[in-house]
Amino acid sequence: VKDNIYFDPLYLKNTKMKNKIFFDLGSFDGKDTIRAIDYFAKDEIRVYAMEPDKKNYINCAEHLRVYMNTVILQNKGIGDKKETKSFMEGGVSAKFSENGNVLIEVDTIDHLADSQDVGFIKMDIEGYEESALDGGIETIKRCSPILAISIYHKRSDIWRIPLKILEINPKYQFYLGHYSFGWDDTVLYGIART
């Protein structure tokens, strides 16, 4: 299993991040944020890291404390609108659920971007990726950021997510990376061509 699955040079080698803002949506333990900072080190990026699970968020904050001049870490979920939703905490398997044990604040990519030029969006949000794309339509149209999106949480993600991205912005070309011996860790890379 490869450790650095969202920054695979096989897919990103001829790609430059045009804008220096990175969104880590579903930051879990913060290690993908650190990998992004390392990967784009020469570019001095700014990171927005979102993690809705409270224990994961605390773990994230611990891992990222030395990067806080570069990272804005928030204990929020990402979706298609700003709202409060029922959420099931549980570490790796934390997700939105009607049977959730807490209420969490949900924000959108477009609201977080707030007209800033976003260069890269990484998304691993336990089956809520399609909804998050709905909340990022303006940013994806306007900025054409690099996308690295987990597409293994729902069977239909492998075709629905690329189609949704193309509806938003037809400039995208896609690459598929699979990084485990099981069904998980399948990443769709979207790179907009000019």
Side-chain angles (χ1 to χ4, degrees):
V1 177
K2 193 170 183 178
D3 206 23
N4 202 9
I5 69 174
Y6 299 102
F7 311 100
D8 192 329
L10 179 65
Y11 307 110
L12 301 180
K13 64 182 171 193
N14 296 320
T15 304
K16 294 202 184 318
M17 189 166 74
K18 296 180 292 190
N19 308 311
K20 308 307 181 210
I21 295 176
F22 174 77
F23 277 16
D24 184 357
L25 307 179
S27 55
F28 182 55
D29 59 7
K31 291 182 180 175
D32 288 325
T33 289
I34 295 167
R35 290 179 186 113
I37 291 167
D38 291 343
Y39 189 87
F40 297 107
K42 63 187 179 303
D43 295 322
E44 297 180 14
I45 65 171
R46 183 103 176 120
V47 179
Y48 290 80
M50 304 292 129
E51 177 50 54
D53 184 89
K54 192 66 169 175
K55 286 181 183 173
N56 291 345
Y57 171 79
I58 291 167
N59 194 21
C60 228
E62 178 63 26
H63 284 132
L64 297 175
R65 77 176 182 279
V66 298
Y67 299 96
M68 284 309 180
N69 60 332
T70 302
V71 178
I72 296 168
L73 174 63
Q74 296 184 33
N75 187 206
K76 289 182 180 178
I78 293 293
D80 60 347
K81 61 185 173 224
K82 286 179 63 75
E83 62 182 331
T84 301
K85 276 188 82 79
S86 182
F87 186 79
M88 180 61 70
E89 293 185 311
V92 176
S93 60
K95 62 183 178 183
F96 291 112
S97 169
E98 290 181 16
N99 302 320
N101 54 359
V102 295
L103 291 174
I104 61 150
E105 185 181 345
V106 178
D107 212 333
T108 69
I109 291 169
D110 286 341
H111 180 255
L112 291 168
D114 190 29
S115 300
Q116 298 178 89
D117 291 329
V118 177
F120 195 122
I121 298 173
K122 168 253 168 177
M123 208 184 290
D124 186 355
I125 51 177
E126 305 305 314
Y128 223 63
E129 289 81 4
E130 195 173 352
S131 179
L133 289 169
D134 285 333
I137 289 171
E138 294 309 313
T139 303
I140 294 167
K141 275 184 186 173
R142 182 174 51 82
C143 302
S144 299
I146 298 166
L147 302 172
I149 301 175
S150 291
I151 58 165
Y152 61 89
H153 298 107
K154 297 178 187 171
R155 288 182 182 184
S156 61
D157 283 350
I158 199 161
W159 60 271
R160 288 180 61 98
I161 288 176
L163 285 176
K164 179 170 281 299
I165 293 166
L166 288 175
E167 286 172 11
I168 296 169
N169 184 334
K171 295 178 184 174
Y172 277 93
Q173 293 181 345
F174 300 108
Y175 305 92
L176 201 58
H178 183 70
Y179 301 97
S180 75
F181 296 112
W183 56 272
D184 57 351
D185 293 332
T186 303
V187 176
L188 176 75
Y189 292 92
I191 298 170
R193 301 299 180 196
T194 52

